[in-house]
Structure formats: structure tokens, C-alpha cells
Amino acid sequence: MKQLFAAISVVLLLSGCSPNPPKTVYPQLNREAEFRGGLSWNPRSGRVITSWINPGGTMTTLYGDDTAVNYARSHADGAYPAGAKLGAVTWKQQEDARWFGGRIPAQVASVEIVVAGGPYEKYEGSPLAAVPGSDAQRAQFLLQQRAAVMP
Amino acid sequence: MTRMRFLTGTGIVLLLIGGAMQAYRPKLESPPVTAEIQAPDEVRQILRQRCYSCHSNETKLPWYDNLAPAYWVVRDDVLEGREHLNFSTIGAKPEAVQRGMLFESVNTVQLGSMPLPRYLAVHRDAGVTPDELATLRHYLATPPAQSAAPAPAAAAETQFQHWIASNGKPMGTQPDTQVQPEWNGVPFLPEYKNWKPVSSTERWDNHTMRQILGNDIALKAIADGKIDNWPDGTVFAKVAWLQQPDGKGGITTGAFQQVELMIKNSKTYASTEGWGWGRWRGDDLKPYGKDAAFQNECISCHEPVAHSDHVYTAPIGGAQ
């Protein structure tokens, strides 16, 4: 008799009274990866030029303002018109909790801003603060990155 | 006393109905195992125990699943499950496809969508244990013996030169060459490349790098923090490039691989979870798939994030 009841309840459960899938994923912003602190220009207000992964677990996206992006997408030489603005944002990485196999941005490690024919600035820390000094070699490196193909 | 008699009566009636139901028994075939998934024993063992009842030709059902109407439900699950993923035949597919399906498998387990929750509610011990999950993850985290060759640099170079030459005027001034819509009618939107950044991913499972971009409607919803039900008109683009090692331990974006779109319209796309799905591959942007059924792939893999409106990415705000 007990077995019969067990069988009947299994049958009933399977035939419709089934629970909804567990809510394991909620809509969520990646707050950790946002900027904290003031910058002379917000690179993420621009558009993507390219991106790369650095040794040691950080990832960088290079953005540009309209002048920079239009130039990068039509030239390979990095000779941007004076005043074009580029910004490189480097994030620490974390495992994507929603996709084993992916790494996504965690905290911002640094923000670099370079203006063609103008200054190079670097921000670090949380909140982000300008690091004194310039780095002509690094500025040149950023200007030389080719745009990622986006047909 | 009468109560007892009533119960017995009900029991007998139920038994009779139950017995009658057993008469309708559509068959559940067991086709031959032609090419089992290629994986080490400890991995196969877990899949056999946890997934093969629905995802193989070696379905073994406990006695109570053989009783109608449970049998009817389980039979449907098995047939549908096999159609989506069959570990008894997938061994014939390229190694990358098999690995890709194992990654998807681990992710469905982690996100609680496999084994099917309604199945777990009844078969309480049928879930993947934390130890078993660790074994699966460990196997996938170890690169295969002949790891994917780096994307050919020469091909990426040719592609780049061709792109800057043809696409080289300031954006918006040159109409794009006609790109075909997807098989399901979802249009290609060439303006995707001018959208704002939402996030980025390094995908070590398939050696690609991705940028996720959003149109103005998406960006406004992010700024307002209203991302539980994306407004109609929201569009996401995901652009993927092959990874190209820079020779100094870093990785740069290599050849363009594909761009994917998700276009929100709760009416037009009601039958596909409210989103229009499209994928265009290669620098000639060829619509993916052979027919409109390609979108089942998208929908299945985005199903574990149904509670976040089928969107995987956690957007990074502050891109206005």
C-alpha cells in the first residue's frame, strides 16, 4: 500500500505539478568593473578600437573618440590627427560565474588616456587617481595598436 | 470505519485507472550506440549516471518511470533530450564540437538547468554532486594534447588590409554592401560597430575574444538600472575574434570571426523568447545556418539565463 502511494505521488508530480526551474541567475550589473573616481575623459563614452589580454590575468580594451575611431578603422599607421583621443582601460579578470570557459572584467586596474600630439595620462587605484609623470613609449604603443576588424 | 472503506474504494478506483493507463504505451526505441562521446572514463562515468537516461541511446528508466502517466512524460523528455544532445552519437563530430558541448553541459549543471529541474524534483539523488562537477571542470580546464593552433597571422593581416581599404571612409558616409538577413528574417544591422561598450570576454573554451556592444535603448536601460526585462528596441551585438598570441605572453585580437545580434521585440519575436537572433560569419558576413532552425541553438544555450531575460552578460555601467 505504501509503495502504491509512493508510486501515485511520483506519477502526479511528474504529470504536471512540477516546480519551476531554480532561479540561479538574476539580472545583474557588473558594478565591480565600473569606474570610481574622476577622469579627464571617459574612454567608455567612445567606441571600441581593439582589445587584448595581458600576461598575468588582466584584460584591456582600447576606446577612441569619433576622430580616433574613424582614423583607426581606415588606416594602419597609427598617425592619428592631432587631438584624437584614445583611452585604454585595463581590468583585473574574474571567472564568468555564468559561463565556465569565460573570463570577464573585475576591478579596474588602470585607465590610460592619450591624445594624439598631446599628453599621456595614467590613473590607478580605487578611487582612480592620476599617476604623476608621462610615458612616451607607452603612449606610442597605444597609438600603434591596429583596430580590430568590424565589417 | 466508513472513512477506511472510502479510502480503500478510492484506492481501488485509482488502481483501475492506473492499470488502464498502462495500456497506452508508445515505444521508446534504443537505437545503436554509433559513436560515444570521446572523454576519459571518469568523465563518461558521470555522464552515464546523470545524463544518459535522456541524452543517449542507452536509456535506463527506474521501475516507477515505466508506469504511465510518468512514462509518457519521461518518454517525451528522453526523445527531446536525445534530439538536443546525444552522447551515443556525438563522437562522430569534430573534437572541438564535442568539447564545446561538454562546456555547455558543465554550464547547464552549474546554472541548475540540467538535469531537468522537474526530473530532479522526483529523482532526488539524480543531480550532479559537487565532486562530480569538480571532475568535469578539471577535465575541461586542462587543454587537449594538440591544443588549437593559433589563428594564422597572415590571414588576419589580409583581412585587416582588405577591411581598412574597403571600409575606410569615415563611418556613416558609405552604405554597407548588402548583407543578407538571417534565415529567420532577422536583419543585419551594420551600425552595430558604432554602439557603446557593454562588456568584454576572454573565452578560453574556444580561443576567442569578444566585445559586447549595445544600442542607445540598451544603454539607457543600463543607466536606469532597468535590466530585468529589456525594453523593446534593445539590441545587443557580440563581436568575436580569434585569439592571436603576441609572442610575449599576451593575446591580441586576430581575425574577425563573427557578429551576433539579439534584437528585443516582445511581439514580433514572441515565439523565440522575445528576441530576434542572428549570427553573421566571416568578413563576408554570411548568415549562419541552413534554415531558421539555427536559432534553436541560440535559444537552448541562452535558456539557463532565462531569469535574466536570456541575457548572459552582466553590463558594466558608465558608458554614456
Side-chain angles (χ1 to χ4, degrees):
Chain A
M1 200 61 191
K2 224 170 154 191
Q3 272 203 338
L4 176 69
F5 275 125
I8 288 174
S9 49
V10 162
V11 160
L12 288 180
L13 251 172
L14 267 180
S15 29
C17 324
S18 52
N20 290 320
K23 287 202 177 190
T24 44
V25 175
Y26 292 93
Q28 212 180 351
L29 293 171
N30 185 353
R31 293 254 180 234
E32 192 182 2
E34 288 176 13
F35 296 138
R36 272 172 258 300
L39 301 168
S40 65
W41 175 64
N42 175 5
R44 296 187 72 246
S45 69
R47 287 175 277 145
V48 173
I49 295 179
T50 188
S51 59
W52 58 89
I53 316 288
N54 308 288
T58 61
M59 62 203 294
T60 304
T61 300
L62 181 68
Y63 307 89
D65 68 0
D66 286 354
T67 315
V69 168
N70 289 343
Y71 190 85
R73 291 179 179 175
S74 51
H75 299 79
D77 58 9
Y80 288 96
K85 257 187 217 163
L86 289 83
V89 181
T90 300
W91 283 275
K92 293 177 185 155
Q93 289 184 303
Q94 59 179 325
E95 184 181 323
D96 185 347
R98 296 173 178 183
W99 190 264
F100 174 68
R103 297 191 188 101
I104 58 170
Q107 303 94 336
V108 176
S110 72
V111 176
E112 297 160 282
I113 295 170
V114 51
V115 179
Y120 163 90
E121 297 171 304
K122 182 172 186 173
Y123 298 80
E124 279 177 347
S126 181
L128 290 164
V131 180
S134 191
D135 186 340
Q137 221 182 327
R138 177 70 181 173
Q140 205 47 42
F141 171 83
L142 295 177
L143 293 169
Q144 287 305 325
Q145 296 306 310
R146 288 177 168 190
V149 171
M150 289 195 232
Chain B
M1 203 55 208
T2 38
R3 198 180 129 93
M4 195 59 217
R5 206 178 295 151
F6 172 73
L7 275 183
T8 320
T10 316
I12 289 170
V13 169
L14 278 179
L15 254 180
L16 286 177
I17 296 176
M21 284 200 277
Q22 307 314 314
Y24 178 63
R25 243 192 119 64
K27 261 195 133 165
L28 185 55
E29 313 273 356
S30 288
V33 177
T34 51
E36 199 176 3
I37 179 116
Q38 294 162 31
D41 271 349
E42 70 269 20
V43 169
R44 273 187 178 174
Q45 206 44 50
I46 296 167
L47 301 175
R48 280 200 188 111
Q49 193 181 348
R50 304 299 181 196
C51 322
Y52 272 34
S53 51
C54 298
H55 290 295
S56 81
N57 293 341
E58 301 180 87
T59 303
K60 290 194 192 79
L61 299 179
W63 65 270
Y64 48 86
D65 282 346
N66 276 303
L67 295 179
Y71 174 77
W72 303 337
V73 177
V74 172
R75 179 177 175 275
D76 279 354
D77 285 343
V78 172
L79 293 178
E80 197 192 344
R82 280 181 187 166
E83 205 170 293
H84 278 254
L85 162 60
N86 191 332
F87 287 118
S88 300
T89 56
I90 198 174
K93 301 232 169 107
E95 196 192 322
V97 173
Q98 297 183 49
R99 255 182 103 76
M101 201 36 106
L102 287 179
F103 271 99
E104 189 178 337
S105 293
V106 163
N107 280 296
T108 57
V109 170
Q110 288 194 160
L111 295 174
S113 69
M114 283 292 145
L116 287 178
R118 64 163 175 271
Y119 180 80
L120 283 187
V122 177
H123 307 76
R124 297 211 175 262
D125 299 323
V128 175
T129 66
D131 279 353
E132 290 168 347
L133 182 59
T135 302
L136 297 177
R137 285 172 53 111
H138 177 79
Y139 166 63
L140 290 174
T142 326
Q146 84 283 27
S147 154
E157 176 67 22
T158 314
Q159 193 192 51
F160 175 77
Q161 295 299 346
H162 177 250
W163 177 62
I164 54 168
S166 66
N167 216 21
K169 298 173 191 144
M171 267 149 308
T173 61
Q174 172 191 297
D176 280 73
T177 42
Q178 211 52 50
V179 175
Q180 293 304 308
E182 256 294 6
W183 293 97
N184 55 6
V186 169
F188 177 70
L189 304 176
E191 62 270 30
Y192 81 87
K193 52 182 93 64
N194 296 329
W195 292 341
K196 292 285 171 66
V198 173
S199 189
S200 56
T201 35
E202 175 196 358
R203 287 282 296 269
W204 56 268
D205 55 345
N206 56 20
H207 312 284
T208 58
M209 292 167 62
R210 283 114 190 266
Q211 287 285 335
I212 294 97
L213 310 173
N215 70 353
D216 287 347
I217 298 177
L219 267 284
K220 180 162 189 318
I222 294 170
D224 296 344
K226 298 208 170 100
I227 62 166
D228 46 328
N229 185 7
W230 293 89
D232 282 355
T234 296
V235 191
F236 289 109
K238 183 166 87 168
V239 199
W241 299 270
L242 299 178
Q243 296 187 355
Q244 180 107 44
D246 68 359
K248 290 173 273 182
I251 295 167
T252 60
T253 47
F256 166 85
Q257 188 195 33
Q258 63 184 28
V259 55
E260 295 173 314
L261 297 179
M262 279 170 70
I263 304 177
K264 179 79 186 263
N265 191 314
S266 44
K267 286 193 199 76
T268 314
Y269 300 125
S271 64
T272 50
E273 313 289 1
W275 294 93
W277 307 81
R279 176 189 282 170
W280 291 264
R281 305 199 88 168
D283 44 3
D284 56 347
L285 298 170
K286 196 166 169 286
Y288 174 74
K290 299 191 292 286
D291 51 43
F294 84 89
Q295 63 192 357
N296 298 339
E297 251 177 69
C298 321
I299 296 165
S300 292
C301 198
H302 280 249
E303 179 59 28
V305 291
H307 291 299
S308 76
D309 202 4
H310 298 87
V311 172
Y312 267 105
T313 302
I316 305 173
Q320 283 74 38

